[in-house]
Amino acid sequence: MASSTVMNLLYSPYIPVFIEPKFRVPSRRRIRVSSSASFGTNGDIRVRESVIEFGIDGGNGKWGSKLKKKEVPKQLEVLWDDGYGSVTVKDYFEGAKDMIHNDGGPPRWFCPVDCGRPLNGSPLLLYLPGIDGVGLGLCLHHKSLGRVFEVRCLHIPVYDRTPFGELVRLVEHTVRVEHTLYPDRPIYLVGDSFGGCLALVVAARNPSIDLVLILVNPATSFAKSQFQLLFPLLEVVPDEFHVAISYLLSFVMADPIRMAMVNIDKGLPLPKILEQLSANLNYLLPRILDLADIVPKETLLWKLKMLKLAASSANFRLHFVKAEVLVLCSGKDNMLPSSFEAQCLGKSLQNCEVRYFRDNGHALLLEDGMHLLSVIKGTGKYRSSRRHDHISDYIPPSLTELKVQQEQGFGLRLATSPVMFSTLENGNIVRGLAGVPNEGPILFVGNHMLLGLELTSLVEEFGRVKKIMIRGMAHPVLFTVDSRFSLDNNSTIDKVRQFGSVPVTPRNLFRLLSSDSFTLLYPGGVREALHRKGEEYKLFWPDQPEFVRMAAQFGATIVPFGVVGEDDVAQYVLDYNDQMKIPIVKDFIKLMNHYATRVRGDEEGEVSEQDIYMPGIIPKIPGRFYYLFGKPIETKGQKALLTDKERANELYAHIKSDVEKILSYLKEKREEDLYRGILERTLYRAFSAPTCDVPTFEP
């Protein structure tokens, strides 16, 4: 068996048996594990000793048989390696081929080697496969999920004929045992197609257990699909033609091109991408014939009949499901009407959200563009206790997430060519982030541009240059908005959550600073981000020094900063005042804000005008964004700020004045930038290296 597949963790349908491996073998080595379990007449379990053959580089140039036990980290580092792209669909077919040979015995759980050891206190994740039953559908995501989940996958042998009811009891037994052992931790059920029906039935039968269901193109819509036409065809087709049916079925289930794109760097030149894509397809397409071995004719007939029963059972019990549910549906699912079914489930289930993947096929988890952990984070579904905690359940962005963000934000970054300046301790302004401290707690305080356009480049630059992830204090509406029927798998709201933003509350600011975080605060809030005509770069800060005393309590360093450039990229057409003069629009804005969480509702003046609306703007020929981080202000040792209100007010006024001076400085100095216009920058890139920094004014 391929080492990247399983460690051979056997479970009986009734009594779970865990075989603890003594060695971890690198995935590039091959490992053959044979083990069996038998049951005595009195119900006791007898496990034969496993035979393991392997070769390991002991590190001293010799072959050894032991690996040093790695300590489990307490938390993940910023931009941790999630391993995405190191495993492809090739590994799925190779692993499946190994598992189906001489595969007897009942359905069982296994723990993938690639998952490694999770963080302490990680919740349990049970993967329930589709009709293939192999249990390797998560292979592209093992390394990322294994860092924050205890992952177990259900394997249903090819020639096993365990009925649906027994499979339900197997999963249910495991769920109940784990809930008894750890009653305060949630249990995640990731149900893929047929597995989605299985997950729903288990959840309906156990409403008192804290479950989180992630349903990937669930087969609850089986009765509405054209897939049932396979029944009469399979019964009459000769066995020698089953390979052809399997080949056609594989193209219905998945998009080969998206499967082949998994390990290709999208930043490469187009000819190189096409070359790698061709090589991957040449390897992948012949392997699709292996589907006939993974799901032979008799097995396919059995599982289609069981799938019909599973879909019926799940639909009958939908109103009993109390668990959190996240439905992931594909826009190009040629096997099931998943998009329509996701909307139906969103309306039928009590606590359900939907995410739509427009360009993916039925085998969503094996295709490019799907990062399951990122989706779980972005929807706020990851938690290690009964309720999601924005601080303790925080998972830092991985290398893949930053890379995807950079690819998606490439257009804005190319159009605005952001320039970062910072201030050294001696007061000198330099290009880059050298003047920003590297150790927290740090509190960044600055101005919001229109619609928060400055956020993407700011977060990316700190991640790329300093390996620091800034955690923003965001409006609570971004965490409470009803996104049940979101048709965008990459919504702005999901990105805000994915990169660690938290609702702006005094308690959350307290907890972030107490954990030495790099925290981003906009005192002007929505009033600055959704300002009116002619109010570019105007600060709308409250009168009270709401953040100064908090920073002083933890000795945090306050870094004032300013950003200009919105007037170079957009022109206001309809602002809040204009829209409130239109009756229909006015009623919509009032209704929307009636249910939104109010921030600074107890303040007076303009700062209290925190209504949310969508400004009417038209784009301009893009100019450039300029950032300047002012001289850091130390509060360490200034405990007097906690009790001396006058001194705290003075520091607050000083910080606000610094931000205003920064804005004035940038607006004046940008006039000296010979490359402020996009045409000049484009010509510079055409004659220079495309990735080089475009020059700007001298500070």
Side-chain angles (χ1 to χ4, degrees):
M1 185 179 298
S3 65
S4 60
T5 306
V6 296
M7 275 188 183
N8 197 55
L9 302 183
L10 297 180
Y11 280 74
S12 80
Y14 305 104
I15 306 175
V17 183
F18 179 79
I19 303 176
E20 179 70 34
K22 295 183 179 180
F23 308 103
R24 286 194 70 241
V25 182
S27 58
R28 64 177 180 272
R29 306 292 181 192
R30 293 188 61 81
I31 177 170
R32 181 170 63 84
V33 183
S34 61
S35 179
S36 62
S38 60
F39 299 86
T41 55
N42 59 352
D44 62 322
I45 303 169
R46 301 168 184 172
V47 182
R48 287 196 223 164
E49 184 177 358
S50 299
V51 178
I52 304 177
E53 298 178 359
F54 58 89
I56 302 174
D57 189 347
N60 55 0
K62 299 181 180 179
W63 292 92
S65 60
K66 293 184 180 180
L67 289 176
K68 292 182 179 179
K69 184 176 180 181
K70 295 183 178 180
E71 293 184 2
V72 179
K74 295 182 180 179
Q75 60 184 10
L76 295 174
E77 66 277 7
V78 174
L79 302 182
W80 53 284
D81 184 6
D82 59 7
Y84 187 81
S86 61
V87 176
T88 65
V89 182
K90 168 186 174 182
D91 298 278
Y92 168 81
F93 283 111
E94 290 183 352
K97 192 173 182 180
D98 286 339
M99 292 181 72
I100 63 177
H101 288 167
N102 303 317
D103 187 12
R108 71 208 73 167
W109 299 104
F110 68 87
C111 179
V113 172
D114 285 349
C115 288
R117 307 183 70 183
L119 300 176
N120 290 328
S122 296
L124 175 67
L125 185 149
L126 302 176
Y127 173 67
L128 311 178
I131 61 171
D132 66 300
V134 177
L136 294 179
L138 281 180
C139 63
L140 272 62
H141 312 276
H142 284 164
K143 292 184 179 180
S144 58
L145 294 175
R147 301 293 296 276
V148 294
F149 287 103
E150 293 181 13
V151 180
R152 300 178 198 168
C153 304
L154 180 63
H155 172 61
I156 305 173
V158 171
Y159 297 102
D160 178 78
R161 296 297 181 263
T162 301
F164 179 70
E166 293 298 316
L167 292 177
V168 170
R169 281 187 280 275
L170 163 63
V171 178
E172 185 177 60
H173 175 79
T174 304
V175 166
R176 290 178 176 177
V177 169
E178 290 294 333
H179 176 67
T180 301
L181 294 174
Y182 305 102
D184 295 327
R185 292 187 195 175
I187 299 173
Y188 286 72
L189 300 180
V190 178
D192 192 353
S193 190
F194 164 76
C197 299
L198 184 55
L200 284 168
V201 174
V202 171
R205 288 163 57 99
N206 297 273
S208 62
I209 296 179
D210 186 9
L211 298 174
V212 180
L213 308 187
I214 301 174
L215 311 179
V216 185
N217 293 321
T220 48
S221 61
F222 180 73
K224 309 167 190 173
S225 73
Q226 302 298 319
F227 201 46
Q228 295 186 90
L229 298 176
L230 277 178
F231 277 116
L233 180 62
L234 283 171
E235 290 175 347
V236 299
V237 69
D239 292 343
E240 55 267 23
F241 290 106
H242 178 64
V243 173
I245 292 180
S246 299
Y247 194 76
L248 294 175
L249 182 61
S250 64
F251 282 94
V252 174
M253 292 178 62
D255 183 344
I257 294 180
R258 294 197 72 88
M259 284 183 167
M261 288 290 293
V262 167
N263 64 336
I264 297 178
D265 185 356
K266 312 305 185 298
L268 294 174
L270 182 59
K272 190 67 175 177
I273 291 178
L274 294 177
E275 179 184 343
Q276 291 189 13
L277 177 61
S278 176
N280 288 351
L281 285 173
N282 287 336
Y283 179 90
L284 178 63
L285 293 179
R287 300 302 182 279
I288 291 178
L289 293 174
D290 293 338
L291 189 63
D293 295 326
I294 298 173
V295 189
K297 178 182 175 180
E298 297 79 9
T299 299
L300 184 57
L301 280 169
W302 163 263
K303 291 193 174 182
L304 286 176
K305 293 176 182 178
M306 188 167 60
L307 182 57
K308 184 177 181 179
L309 173 62
S312 176
S313 300
N315 285 315
F316 180 74
R317 294 175 170 84
L318 288 180
H319 60 288
F320 292 112
V321 177
K322 308 296 183 184
E324 282 187 80
V325 181
L326 174 62
V327 179
L328 310 181
C329 62
S330 298
K332 295 183 179 179
D333 189 344
N334 297 318
M335 178 175 288
L336 300 170
S338 294
S339 299
F340 175 77
E341 182 66 11
Q343 300 301 311
C344 295
L345 290 174
K347 297 175 183 177
S348 302
L349 296 170
Q350 300 177 24
N351 185 9
C352 179
E353 288 191 41
V354 175
R355 288 299 180 271
Y356 182 69
F357 295 81
R358 184 175 293 103
D359 300 319
N360 290 84
H362 184 74
L364 177 60
L365 295 174
L366 293 173
E367 296 182 5
D368 183 52
M370 154 54 69
H371 305 274
L372 184 56
L373 181 58
S374 298
V375 175
I376 295 174
K377 288 167 52 181
T379 52
K381 297 300 181 186
Y382 182 80
R383 54 189 175 88
S384 55
S385 57
R386 292 187 177 274
R387 297 185 62 182
H388 174 74
D389 187 287
H390 294 285
I391 311 300
S392 61
D393 290 327
Y394 170 61
I395 302 174
S398 66
L399 286 170
T400 299
E401 287 173 335
L402 181 64
K403 184 177 180 180
V404 170
Q405 176 60 32
Q406 289 175 335
E407 291 172 354
Q408 295 171 348
F410 178 75
L412 177 64
R413 190 167 60 253
L414 182 66
T416 60
S417 296
V419 184
M420 304 277 177
F421 296 97
S422 61
T423 308
L424 303 177
E425 292 185 3
N426 59 10
N428 291 337
I429 298 175
V430 296
R431 185 169 181 178
L433 302 175
V436 178
N438 295 318
E439 296 184 2
I442 304 292
L443 180 61
F444 296 92
V445 181
N447 70 300
H448 240 327
M449 288 207 301
L450 178 65
L451 298 174
L453 292 173
E454 78 286 348
L455 278 168
T456 299
S457 297
L458 188 152
V459 172
E460 285 182 11
E461 191 72 5
F462 271 87
R464 183 181 66 86
V465 176
K466 297 181 78 72
K467 301 297 186 291
I468 289 173
M469 192 50 54
I470 296 179
R471 304 199 62 184
M473 304 292 291
H475 195 287
V477 73
L478 295 176
F479 303 88
T480 58
V481 64
D482 185 3
S483 54
R484 289 163 58 91
F485 309 119
S486 173
L487 294 183
D488 181 8
N489 68 300
N490 187 36
S491 67
T492 301
I493 293 177
D494 285 3
K495 283 293 181 184
V496 168
R497 295 166 174 168
Q498 192 181 108
F499 277 79
S501 294
V502 302
V504 56
T505 64
R507 183 173 183 271
N508 283 338
L509 179 59
F510 177 94
R511 297 185 65 195
L512 283 176
L513 294 179
S514 65
S515 60
D516 293 338
S517 299
F518 291 75
T519 308
L520 176 62
L521 176 66
Y522 291 104
V526 172
R527 185 62 180 85
E528 275 182 12
L530 301 176
H531 56 70
R532 322 299 190 234
K533 292 178 181 177
E535 293 180 348
E536 297 88 352
Y537 315 125
K538 182 179 179 181
L539 301 185
F540 293 92
W541 290 18
D543 294 330
Q544 300 299 320
E546 49 188 17
F547 60 82
V548 171
R549 285 193 289 270
M550 189 79 75
Q553 183 169 353
F554 298 100
T557 301
I558 300 174
V559 179
F561 73 93
V563 192
V564 303
E566 69 166 83
D567 54 333
D568 277 346
V569 297
Q571 175 67 49
Y572 250 120
V573 177
L574 290 173
D575 66 1
Y576 178 82
N577 297 328
D578 295 327
Q579 295 185 30
M580 292 300 285
K581 296 176 183 177
I582 305 174
I584 297 178
V585 179
K586 177 182 179 180
D587 293 340
F588 176 77
I589 293 175
K590 285 187 174 181
L591 179 64
M592 180 172 58
N593 285 278
H594 176 73
Y595 294 102
T597 304
R598 301 294 296 178
V599 177
R600 298 203 178 96
D602 55 346
E603 296 282 348
E604 297 181 356
E606 292 180 316
V607 72
S608 66
E609 300 173 5
Q610 297 283 326
D611 282 357
I612 299 172
Y613 77 103
M614 181 53 65
I617 58 176
I618 56 176
K620 291 182 178 180
I621 298 176
R624 200 169 191 182
F625 285 176
Y626 302 88
Y627 299 71
L628 173 56
F629 296 89
K631 186 176 180 180
I633 301 172
E634 298 281 352
T635 65
K636 189 174 182 179
Q638 299 190 45
K639 293 296 184 180
L641 292 171
L642 299 176
T643 56
D644 192 335
K645 292 185 178 180
E646 182 177 351
R647 188 171 175 180
N649 286 329
E650 289 177 357
L651 181 56
Y652 179 76
H654 173 69
I655 295 170
K656 183 178 180 182
S657 176
D658 277 357
V659 175
E660 291 173 333
K661 289 177 181 178
I662 288 172
L663 295 175
S664 298
Y665 172 84
L666 291 176
K667 286 190 291 183
E668 178 182 349
K669 293 292 289 185
R670 68 177 174 175
E671 301 295 334
E672 303 175 11
D673 188 359
L674 299 178
Y675 299 95
R676 180 178 173 185
I678 190 172
L679 178 60
E680 291 79 5
R681 297 196 301 274
T682 302
L683 290 174
Y684 180 86
R685 289 192 180 99
F687 293 99
S688 304
T691 57
C692 69
D693 289 329
V694 178
T696 186
F697 62 81
E698 289 296 325

